[in-house]
Amino acid sequence: MADVTLRKVVKRYDEVEAVRGIDLDIADHEFVVLVGPSGCGKSTTLRMIAGLEDISDGDIMIGGDIVNDVPPKDRDIAMVFQNYALYPHMTVAENMSFGLRLKRYPKAEIKSRIDEAARMLDIVELVDRKPKQLSGGQRQRVAMGRAIVRNPKVFLFDEPLSNLDAKLRVQMRIEIKKVHQKVRTTTVYVTHDQVEAMTLADRVVVMNHGRIEQIGTPNELYHKPATKFVASFIGSPAMNFIPCRLEDLAGKLHIRLTDRIAFPLPPARAARYQGIPRTDKLLLGLRPEHITEARPHLASGMEAFDTVLDVTEPMGMETLIYFTLEGSQVCGRVNPNAGAQDGAPLRLAVDLNNMHLLNEVTGVVL
Amino acid sequence: MTTVTVDKATPTRKVKYGSMSRDRTWALRWSYFFLVIFAIFSLTPPIYMLITSLKSSAEISAATNPWWVFHPTLENYVGLLTSNQFLRFFWNSAIVSIFVVTITMLISVPAAFALARMRFWGSAVLATGVFLTYLIPETLLFIPLFKMFAVIGDWTGIQLINRWYVLLILYPTLTVPFCTWIMIGYFASIPKELDEAAIIDGASWIQTLTRIFIPVAFPGIIAATIFAFTVSWAQFLYPLVFTTSTDQLVMPVGIITSLIKGDVFNWGQIMTGALLGAAPPLIIYAFLMDYYIAGLTAGATKG
Ligand SMILES: Nc1ncnc2c1ncn2[C@@H]1O[C@H](COP(=O)(O)OP(=O)(O)O)[C@@H](O)[C@H]1O
Ligand SMILES: [Mg+2]
């Protein structure tokens, strides 16, 4: 069993509180990604799990045992670093076997483990090379190989792909996923890249200012964000936030965006938002794919309005459009054949079945 | 957008490139000019020494061209290399230097590792303190040190003055601070993740030092070794003050005391002795330099 549990974990440096009380349960075999902007405490959290940083407060458990005071080497973990941290004077094979040699594993066992890992990572022909003779992607594979041969309880990755170029990053992402499917080792993976988080994770942990904002599967985070931070952090292009108010018009609950534009809410939404004071300052959260060109027959929950586009960005498969509503820029995604042009008027439709309503002050999704 | 920028940048870059290569040419010329002057300055004394060492005493005192050998002879070399006294000096120097280099590396490498990597109370102050120690000249220290050793001799009966092994205590005070300082620099340039990876792999501090840091910082170790050897081989003041019996002398002092008799300078043998004395450091440089430079460039690329 190799589940990892964090209970109210805190890390204080002299003046700053880098991690402010984190509770997290990671199941055996699970792939969990910690994601968040730079400086939010992801690395610190990971390094506390590794034992490279002391825990100021709280408990960390690996496989049910509290490991607060267990040194890294006895935690049975392996870590992959952003800059690979390969031993420059050792060959690939020596790099991978260093930990096993320190533990005095039999030679035959070491060799078979290296062979297996090298085959899995497709680096068989590189085992006798030195790190400086390898490309960035190859070094990354070796660093992973070094983790795999140890056969640890937990893999820890700290931004392992951010030194690679964009294309290689996508390729290595798939590679990491394949490896995890094969070895099924519990994994904690840190990244600031939300796409990486979404594509790799069984569960994503979104962090901000040393706290957890939300934990969920990639789909949960995308479709049911709990806070404005999560809503804006996950998804690209980012979710639009349009200032709005609730209003009762002709006995139906409406959402008013501008003096001209107010939409009736679909019944399910109306019931959900009924209790909100009409004077509250709210934000309408809409993902770009829920702002599209208006078709002749609108499905229920779709509401049309006219606007003038500022800029269009043809992406091939779709066209991104940008327009202004009450001073805030809004992004939508329309069909390339919808006739969207820079500066031209266009009739758009919003899909209110997929809307989010946020409290502008607290940032909480209502 | 991008194309426009490139179009604009290309001509400017061309002009710059031209002026840069002209700058380069001039920089090269100047550096060669100074290199030649430097080479003349540093090579003249050894050449003069070599010429003099090949002359007989008679020819040296004769009023001939001092830059030419008319009757070359090896008598100075034969004289020194068959003199038990000179071989004794050489032997003392070798023993002292080898011991001092060993002692220095055994102290300064672990010390530098601790100061560079283990953050403990006062480690930053200590690191600076180590370097400040090096700045105190031995001319300031030799009299108090002499007094100290004399007192220790009186109290404990352990005779240190006029014994060659007193130098094993004295020389490290010169070599350890500087070598520690060099090694701190080399160790500090090793990425932090490398020792963290080693620690996670299960290495103890000692194993991290011996199996990761020392191999990775090997060029630094070579540099420190060369420095320690050069200092202990060439040190003059301490052996002059602390050793007096001829069987305890190291070479620099030995040559001066045995080959200058009153106001009679045996120039031929002095020059020969100095040349022979300069040989070991030269040989060591020649052997280790390749390694040193190769190591430098290899270490420069990030592992
Ligand atoms: N050794 C340290 N001393 C003081 N502050 C630190 C130290 N390491 C990290 N921090 C601070 O802790 C916060 C979180 O850092 P980190 O966990 O590295 O963030 P990231 O999410 O980018 O990995 C940052 O504000 C950083 O400045
Ligand atoms: Mg980080």
Side-chain angles (χ1 to χ4, degrees), chain B residues 64-87:
Chain B
T64 53
N65 180 359
W67 292 98
W68 193 252
V69 191
F70 295 96
H71 307 287
T73 166
L74 287 177
E75 68 180 39
N76 291 323
Y77 289 85
V78 175
L80 278 184
L81 292 174
T82 54
S83 139
N84 280 334
Q85 204 180 37
F86 179 79
L87 293 178

Side-chain angles (χ1 to χ4, degrees), chain B residues 228-248:
Chain B
F229 182 82
T230 315
V231 164
S232 36
W233 190 263
Q235 175 55 224
F236 186 72
L237 182 63
Y238 281 156
L240 183 67
V241 173
F242 285 84
T243 53
T244 41
S245 318
T246 42
D247 62 337
Q248 303 294 329

Side-chain angles (χ1 to χ4, degrees), chain B residues 87-292:
Chain B
L87 293 178
R88 177 85 210 179
F89 299 156
F90 201 96
W91 175 249
N92 283 348
S93 270
I95 290 290
V96 167
S97 298
I98 288 168
F99 269 114
V100 167
V101 167
T102 313
I103 292 170
T104 304
M105 298 318 284
L106 285 180
I107 297 174
S108 59
V109 169
F113 181 64
L115 289 173
R117 276 307 200 261
M118 303 176 180
R119 250 174 286 148
F120 52 89
W121 189 84
S123 59
V125 178
L126 201 57
T128 318
V130 164
F131 189 63
L132 289 181
T133 323
Y134 174 68
L135 297 181
I136 301 172
E138 65 253 41
T139 42
L140 211 64
L141 292 177
F142 76 95
I143 294 173
L145 279 172
F146 194 91
K147 190 80 193 153
M148 267 173 58
F149 286 132
V151 169
I152 289 173
D154 287 347
W155 282 2
T156 63
I158 300 170
Q159 186 61 31
L160 287 171
I161 289 167
N162 195 21
R163 296 288 182 276
W164 62 267
Y165 45 79
V166 72
L167 303 179
L168 302 188
I169 306 172
L170 289 168
Y171 287 5
T173 63
L174 304 167
T175 53
V176 166
F178 193 74
C179 290
T180 307
W181 193 255
I182 295 179
M183 291 316 300
I184 288 177
Y186 271 89
F187 287 162
S189 72
I190 295 176
K192 191 97 190 63
E193 286 82 359
L194 217 59
D195 29 319
E196 291 179 345
I199 285 172
I200 288 179
D201 265 343
S204 62
W205 280 109
I206 299 289
Q207 284 168 324
T208 308
L209 173 62
T210 54
R211 306 194 51 174
I212 310 290
F213 272 61
I214 290 179
V216 171
F218 202 68
I221 304 238
I222 299 277
T225 308
I226 290 178
F227 174 83
F229 182 82
T230 315
V231 164
S232 36
W233 190 263
Q235 175 55 224
F236 186 72
L237 182 63
Y238 281 156
L240 183 67
V241 173
F242 285 84
T243 53
T244 41
S245 318
T246 42
D247 62 337
Q248 303 294 329
L249 295 182
V250 291
M251 200 154 47
V253 180
I255 291 172
I256 299 302
T257 44
S258 65
L259 298 180
I260 303 174
K261 303 238 159 57
D263 57 353
V264 182
F265 288 72
N266 188 346
W267 280 121
Q269 287 204 347
I270 292 175
M271 291 299 138
T272 311
L275 269 185
L276 290 175
L282 273 182
I283 291 168
I284 287 179
Y285 274 116
F287 270 103
L288 295 185
M289 230 25 176
D290 274 355
Y291 211 137
Y292 179 51

Side-chain angles (χ1 to χ4, degrees), chain A residues 13 16 18 37-44:
Chain A
Y13 291 109
V16 281
S38 174
C40 71
K42 312 176 293 283
S43 297
T44 308

